[in-house]
Amino acid sequence: MYYEIINTMLKVKITPGGSDFRLMDRKAVDAFKLYRERTRFIRGLVNTLGFKVTTIEFITLPHFVGKSKFSTRKMLHFVLDGITAFFYIPLRCAFYIGLICGTCSLLISGQKIASAS
């Protein structure tokens, strides 16, 4: 469901069920290293490099010992990174909300100063 939602929102298409495990040649790695993001959404960035991408199907085996260290909290951060990395609307909404809050605070401050005089 995550991939269906994100692929309808983004121009960059993310492979459903894809993995961050990649085999890349030197040109692709050098191009990927030019990105300066702190938290890289690899599944999306690799598709923006402009190189040919081939998919290899594989089956992951279940954990025999222990459990996954990828918690629900980490999964939510992953989802938010995916949405905010390539989708401009959250950034634009945050900008307008900040602009409205800033304007309102200036108006309220001006009104308090005027009424105190």
Side-chain angles (χ1 to χ4, degrees), residues 3-113:
Y3 291 104
E4 289 178 28
I5 292 169
I6 202 163
N7 280 329
T8 58
M9 293 180 359
L10 306 180
K11 293 179 183 176
V12 176
K13 295 302 172 198
I14 311 298
T15 306
S19 172
D20 287 337
F21 179 74
R22 308 273 176 190
L23 178 63
M24 301 169 70
D25 68 1
R26 175 52 47 196
K27 286 182 185 178
V29 170
D30 290 340
F32 183 73
K33 287 169 56 177
L34 294 175
Y35 287 104
R36 297 287 182 210
E37 286 88 359
R38 283 185 169 183
T39 54
R40 294 179 182 168
F41 186 67
I42 296 172
R43 295 176 193 192
L45 289 176
V46 168
N47 293 335
T48 64
L49 295 175
F51 295 98
K52 182 179 176 184
V53 176
T54 302
T55 303
I56 299 172
E57 300 281 334
F58 66 95
I59 298 171
T60 57
L61 299 174
H63 290 273
F64 291 109
V65 179
K67 62 179 187 172
S68 174
K69 292 183 177 89
F70 210 73
S71 66
T72 304
R73 184 177 180 184
K74 286 183 181 179
M75 183 62 80
L76 288 173
H77 281 282
F78 176 74
V79 168
L80 289 174
D81 286 343
I83 292 171
T84 57
F86 295 99
F87 196 52
Y88 64 91
I89 290 181
L91 181 62
R92 193 170 279 178
C93 286
F95 170 76
Y96 287 123
I97 289 170
L99 192 64
I100 290 168
C101 289
T103 304
C104 288
S105 66
L106 286 174
L107 291 172
I108 291 170
S109 296
Q111 185 180 22
K112 296 258 184 196
I113 292 171

